[in-house]
Amino acid sequence: MTSTKQLEKIVDALEDISININTNPDLKQLESDSHIQYIPKNPQLKSDSDISPIDLKTIELLDLIEQYEKLVNDQYRLNYINGFLNLSRANYNYTSRRFGSNSFDYRPYDACKEITINDNTGEINLINKLAIHQSKLSQQKKNKHEKKENDDEYEIIDVISEKGISSSSSSTKDSISISTRSLKNRKENLSEKLSSTITVEEDPLPSNSRLQDPINQFGGLVPYQLRQSQGYFNKALTDSVDIINLRSRINGLINEIEKLKT
Amino acid sequence: MSSSTETMSKRSLIATIADEDSVTGLLLAGVGQVSNEPGKESNFLTVIPEKTTVEQIETAFDTFTSERDDIAILLINQHLADLIRYKVDNYTNAFPAILEIPSKDHPYDPSKDSILKKVRRLFGE
């Protein structure tokens, strides 16, 4: 009987369990009776529904601050440092010229990196227009290459069919004419298919596009340190956009907490 | 499409007010744009010590934040922002968003970070 009673008490107490120091004297007595160590929930700890809105927002704010500090103190800071370091190395190795304002291209060109703003959340996204442009160009080239291959196949078919007709005897002419007709039909079918696929493709990109790799303004052959510097500054720019998004969220939360305090 | 959405969609460029190395690096990253359109010739200002005045920096700041409608972000070196601190601190618009970036001679200093100062003020420090 005592054991069942103890078990019932244990089951009741084990409804809420967390890893905390036991300070309840009743629970201590139960622990000593049953020789089973259990850790009941800290009675001072509130459930989620009991946490005030200010506390919830403060917890969210602390999470965001942690993310922000981690970002700015680690990769953001280091990407800029490494970008400047490699740029200095490039300038040091090329003493005859400096990669600076004297080399900037002031002829009209478009920005390779642009921003889009989400209307609902206000979040900022960075778009690499140059990468999109280059992928479209490579896809166009691939399609042209495939089309050229198919055209070559047609020519081969034409040559074979012509040779076949000229060299055959009269008895086989009918069979060959049938086969050439079928080849022609196949060609027509294929050409129809290709024309349909071509119409689905996007319009060809203008050849005089103002999107260019910005490293080209410093010359055709640039030192590898300058390319490394470009890589680090690309990452630093991405980090900068992430920081702006985090800052706007932190600002928003701070304003909400200050409103709730008043 | 509402007018505010149209305004937001126009804002797509990243402007820069920084020293020579910072501008070089950011141009390498692809933020630069040059055009023949009056008032929008370029979206970057290269600050050269003892050549570029504080007034020129102020003018560029006003141009990128108030006059132009195609700038979404303004990147400015922290030490240059200190020269026009009153303008930067009094700027309250959401866009273009202003971010103070480190330079070669002035790396990132968390004690000067405005958002962390605001957080410390909130927690009563």
Side-chain angles (χ1 to χ4, degrees):
Chain A
M1 279 299 286
T2 52
S3 63
T4 51
K5 275 188 185 175
Q6 282 170 4
L7 276 171
E8 281 172 18
K9 279 185 183 176
I10 289 164
V11 165
D12 289 336
L14 281 174
E15 279 180 9
D16 296 313
I17 292 179
S18 68
I19 303 172
N20 274 307
I21 297 166
N22 179 10
T23 54
N24 192 329
D26 292 335
L27 295 170
K28 274 188 177 171
Q29 182 62 35
L30 184 61
E31 194 178 317
S32 63
D33 289 340
S34 62
H35 304 287
I36 296 169
Q37 189 178 12
Y38 71 100
I39 306 159
K41 192 170 182 179
N42 189 337
Q44 293 171 358
L45 188 67
K46 296 177 188 176
S47 63
D48 282 347
S49 57
D50 295 332
I51 297 175
S52 66
I54 287 185
D55 290 339
L56 279 172
K57 290 201 184 291
T58 308
I59 292 166
E60 198 182 336
L61 177 66
L62 290 170
D63 284 337
L64 285 178
I65 291 167
E66 190 201 359
Q67 284 178 41
Y68 180 81
E69 285 197 317
K70 206 174 172 182
L71 184 59
V72 295
N73 288 323
D74 289 340
Q75 62 189 63
Y76 172 75
R77 192 181 66 89
L78 285 175
N79 283 330
Y80 270 104
I81 288 173
N82 286 323
F84 288 126
L85 186 64
N86 282 287
L87 183 59
S88 300
R89 282 183 181 149
N91 282 324
Y92 180 77
N93 286 334
Y94 271 62
T95 51
S96 58
R97 62 174 294 190
R98 186 181 155 79
F99 300 105
S101 54
N102 292 332
S103 309
F104 291 169
D105 188 358
Y106 286 101
R107 291 172 295 182
Y109 64 90
D110 290 337
C112 299
K113 298 270 173 69
E114 280 194 356
I115 296 290
T116 54
I117 302 170
N118 188 317
D119 296 327
N120 299 326
T121 59
E123 196 180 336
I124 292 171
N125 294 314
L126 186 67
I127 294 175
N128 190 346
K129 282 172 59 181
L130 183 66
I132 294 169
H133 175 77
Q134 285 172 344
S135 68
K136 280 182 185 173
L137 273 177
S138 61
Q139 186 65 34
Q140 262 192 345
K141 279 182 189 171
K142 196 180 165 187
N143 290 336
K144 273 184 189 171
H145 184 68
E146 282 174 1
K147 193 196 164 195
K148 198 184 167 190
E149 278 181 356
N150 286 329
D151 287 342
D152 290 342
E153 280 178 14
Y154 298 153
E155 286 174 12
I156 292 166
I157 289 166
D158 285 339
V159 166
I160 291 169
S161 61
E162 282 170 9
K163 280 187 180 172
I165 289 164
S166 61
S167 62
S168 66
S169 60
S170 59
S171 59
T172 57
K173 264 187 186 176
D174 291 336
S175 60
I176 288 166
S177 65
I178 290 165
S179 63
T180 51
R181 257 185 272 131
S182 64
L183 280 172
K184 278 182 188 172
N185 286 337
R186 195 175 72 179
K187 271 200 308 185
E188 280 168 7
N189 290 337
L190 274 172
S191 64
E192 277 173 12
K193 277 184 191 172
L194 262 184
S195 60
S196 63
T197 55
I198 284 167
T199 52
V200 164
E201 283 170 9
E202 293 172 16
D203 295 330
L205 290 165
S207 56
N208 58 348
S209 170
R210 302 202 320 180
L211 282 174
Q212 293 202 28
D213 192 347
I215 206 168
N216 293 340
Q217 66 187 303
F218 298 108
L221 279 173
V222 292
Y224 75 94
Q225 292 98 339
L226 195 68
R227 292 197 187 276
Q228 282 180 330
S229 175
Q230 185 182 38
Y232 282 117
F233 274 108
N234 277 329
K235 290 179 194 172
L237 189 65
T238 310
D239 292 337
S240 302
V241 171
D242 291 340
I243 283 170
I244 289 170
N245 284 328
L246 275 171
R247 284 167 72 104
S248 67
R249 285 172 68 189
I250 289 172
N251 260 328
L253 271 172
I254 288 173
N255 292 337
E256 285 174 27
I257 290 170
E258 281 175 346
K259 271 184 196 170
L260 286 170
K261 273 185 177 178
T262 54
Chain B
M1 204 190 248
S2 66
S3 61
S4 62
T5 315
E6 280 178 25
T7 316
M8 284 298 122
S9 64
K10 275 188 194 173
R11 294 192 180 277
S12 59
L13 295 179
I14 302 172
T16 311
I17 299 175
D19 58 15
E20 192 174 356
D21 283 340
S22 303
V23 170
T24 305
L26 290 168
L27 287 185
L28 283 171
V31 306
Q33 175 161 301
V34 175
S35 73
N36 293 325
E37 198 179 333
K40 297 183 181 179
E41 286 84 7
S42 71
N43 65 337
F44 55 92
L45 172 71
T46 310
V47 175
I48 298 168
E50 295 173 11
K51 278 191 182 176
T52 311
T53 61
V54 175
E55 287 76 25
Q56 284 175 304
I57 298 172
E58 282 177 7
T59 308
F61 182 86
D62 291 333
T63 305
F64 292 142
T65 54
S66 310
E67 291 169 21
R68 286 181 70 159
D69 59 354
D70 56 349
I71 307 289
I73 295 175
L74 172 60
L75 301 175
I76 181 167
N77 279 143
Q78 210 167 37
H79 72 280
L80 295 177
D82 288 338
L83 296 176
I84 54 169
R85 181 54 60 195
Y86 55 98
K87 269 194 181 284
V88 174
D89 286 347
N90 289 334
Y91 180 80
T92 51
N93 294 348
F95 293 102
I98 296 179
L99 180 66
E100 295 176 30
I101 58 171
S103 66
K104 190 173 74 171
D105 300 323
H106 301 86
Y108 173 74
D109 185 0
S111 66
K112 292 185 183 175
D113 194 325
S114 59
I115 202 76
L116 294 179
K117 277 188 196 171
K118 214 170 172 183
V119 168
R120 280 190 222 109
R121 219 180 303 131
L122 177 72
F123 290 121
E125 287 181 28

